[in-house]
Amino acid sequence: FSGRANQQNAVRVDGVDFSSVIDASPGNLNGETSTGFRLQTSLENVQEFRVDSSNYPAEFGTGTGGQITVVTKSGGNDVHGGIFEYVRNDVFDARNFFDKGGVSPLRVNQFGASVGGPIVKNRLFAFGSYEGLRQVGYQNIIEAVPSASARLRAVPSIAPLMQLYPQGTPTSNPDLDLAQRVFRAPLNENSGSVRLDYRLSDKVSASLRYLRDQGELESPLNVTGNYSRVTALSHNI
């Protein structure tokens, strides 16, 4: 918005701040780690939204970018629901320049359902939704590793560490080879929400809404097989 980075955007859901503590980047964990998580709330929850890109009043003073305001869905006197699934698969992909021995395997399934309706007609309504993400991709990692001659010259205290690196392809540098390995990088995430609306009168109503998002992902770090595991659990009520 107006040349600003997405970190300067502010997101509000039902009037409650829904951005990260530091910035509003998707998948941001307290402004420290940008992750692959992206189901902070399902699109199935969105009843309406408003975007202010500039010249907004001081009440939107928490960001200098866009101000995104979302109102979540509520139930009604009629029962409505839906299901969906989005699929990606490596059979649809072209070979990447760095792919080793063909296209890297990829499986993405993003699915969910929602339903809303009355608990007490004309008085109490409920709406709930669920969305899940199952992603199994593979990452190519190309890295310099100690050559065979470097391993032979290693002092005894360093030699065991040298064995952690795989054998590589010789290069013009006698101390370094080039190794390439492909590692699995899974991501699992589940997001759910429940909203209750109670009509006290024709002019007064009350609502209670709860959002929950939980995810876990693993990312390879280098050719030795080391990886990082990131878990996240967020609540918004």
Side-chain angles (χ1 to χ4, degrees):
F1 294 92
S2 303
R4 297 288 184 175
N6 67 322
Q7 289 88 347
Q8 298 301 317
N9 299 334
V11 183
R12 295 173 182 81
V13 175
D14 296 325
V16 178
D17 181 67
F18 207 66
S19 308
S20 297
V21 175
I22 303 299
D23 64 52
S25 296
N28 194 301
L29 298 179
N30 297 328
E32 297 174 359
T33 305
S34 183
T35 74
F37 301 136
R38 54 181 180 270
L39 303 184
Q40 285 85 352
T41 182
S42 174
L43 290 180
E44 294 290 295
N45 294 332
V46 178
Q47 176 66 38
E48 56 185 89
F49 68 93
R50 185 182 72 191
V51 176
D52 294 294
S53 59
S54 62
N55 298 327
Y56 33 79
E59 64 185 276
F60 299 115
T62 56
T64 60
Q67 310 292 319
I68 299 94
T69 304
V70 176
V71 177
T72 57
K73 285 182 181 178
S74 58
N77 279 328
D78 298 323
V79 177
H80 292 283
I83 59 175
F84 67 91
E85 180 168 9
Y86 167 74
V87 178
R88 280 192 63 193
N89 193 294
D90 57 78
V91 298
F92 308 120
D93 293 343
R95 181 179 177 275
N96 184 284
F97 178 80
F98 296 103
D99 282 335
K100 185 177 182 180
V103 176
S104 295
L106 175 66
R107 299 290 185 274
V108 179
N109 293 87
Q110 191 167 338
F111 51 90
S114 64
V115 64
I119 298 178
V120 179
K121 193 170 184 179
N122 296 321
R123 185 68 66 179
L124 181 62
F125 312 97
F127 180 85
S129 72
Y130 164 78
E131 186 164 346
L133 173 64
R134 304 293 182 268
Q135 177 176 300
V136 180
Y138 288 76
Q139 294 184 14
N140 276 296
I141 297 183
I142 302 174
E143 191 175 48
V145 297
S147 66
S149 60
R151 298 170 194 262
L152 292 175
R153 298 195 311 270
V155 297
S157 59
I158 301 297
L161 298 178
M162 293 285 196
Q163 301 308 315
L164 297 176
Y165 290 93
Q167 300 288 337
T169 302
T171 66
S172 58
N173 190 322
D175 294 327
L176 296 175
D177 291 345
L178 198 62
Q180 178 178 7
R181 295 186 69 184
V182 180
F183 292 99
R184 189 172 180 268
L187 186 155
N188 295 307
E189 188 175 7
N190 296 285
S191 176
S193 74
V194 176
R195 172 168 171 156
L196 299 175
D197 291 270
Y198 183 67
R199 292 188 62 185
L200 300 168
S201 67
D202 291 339
K203 296 183 177 180
V204 180
S205 63
S207 64
L208 174 65
R209 188 264 301 145
Y210 172 65
L211 298 175
R212 185 180 190 273
D213 181 30
Q214 182 174 6
E216 177 178 326
L217 65 87
E218 296 180 359
S219 300
L221 297 177
N222 52 46
V223 293
T224 65
N226 288 332
Y227 65 90
S228 65
R229 177 182 289 125
V230 179
T231 59
L233 175 60
S234 62
H235 307 269
N236 189 286
I237 189 168

